Amino acid sequence: MSNVDSASDARTANNGVRHQYRVLSDEEKAAMVALKDLGAAFLEKIDALGQSREYSIAKTKIEEAVMWAVKGLTA
C-alpha cells in the first residue's frame, strides 16, 4: 500500500478503523503537522540520551500524547 500524507484529505485511504473523517481546514492541518513535528523532535532528543526502560516508557507516552492530541484536533 502506498503512503498517504497525514495532512492530506486522502488520509482515510489507509485507515480501517475510522470510517468517516471530516475535512480539516488548512489551519487544522498545519496544527496537526506541528504536533507531530514536536513529538518527533522530543523522541529524537530522548533517543540521543541512550537506552533505558525509563526512556522507552517516556517514548511510549510521547507517542500516546501525540495520538490523543491529533485525535482531539481531528475529531
Side-chain angles (χ1 to χ4, degrees), residues 3 9 19 21 24 26 30 32 35 39 47 56 75:
N3 292 328
D9 289 334
H19 297 290
Y21 286 83
L24 300 178
D26 289 341
M32 180 174 56
L35 287 168
D47 277 340
S56 293

Side-chain angles (χ1 to χ4, degrees), residues 12-25:
T12 61
N14 63 354
N15 187 322
V17 178
R18 195 186 287 186
H19 297 290
Q20 294 182 346
Y21 286 83
R22 65 181 180 81
V23 175
L24 300 178
S25 68

Side-chain angles (χ1 to χ4, degrees), residues 21-57:
Y21 286 83
R22 65 181 180 81
V23 175
L24 300 178
S25 68
D26 289 341
E27 293 81 19
E28 289 170 320
K29 289 176 186 177
M32 180 174 56
V33 170
L35 287 168
K36 290 182 177 189
D37 287 347
L38 286 168
F42 199 1
L43 289 169
E44 286 177 22
K45 187 68 169 177
I46 290 175
D47 277 340
L49 298 174
Q51 299 291 320
S52 74
R53 179 176 183 272
E54 293 81 6
Y55 292 152
S56 293
I57 292 169

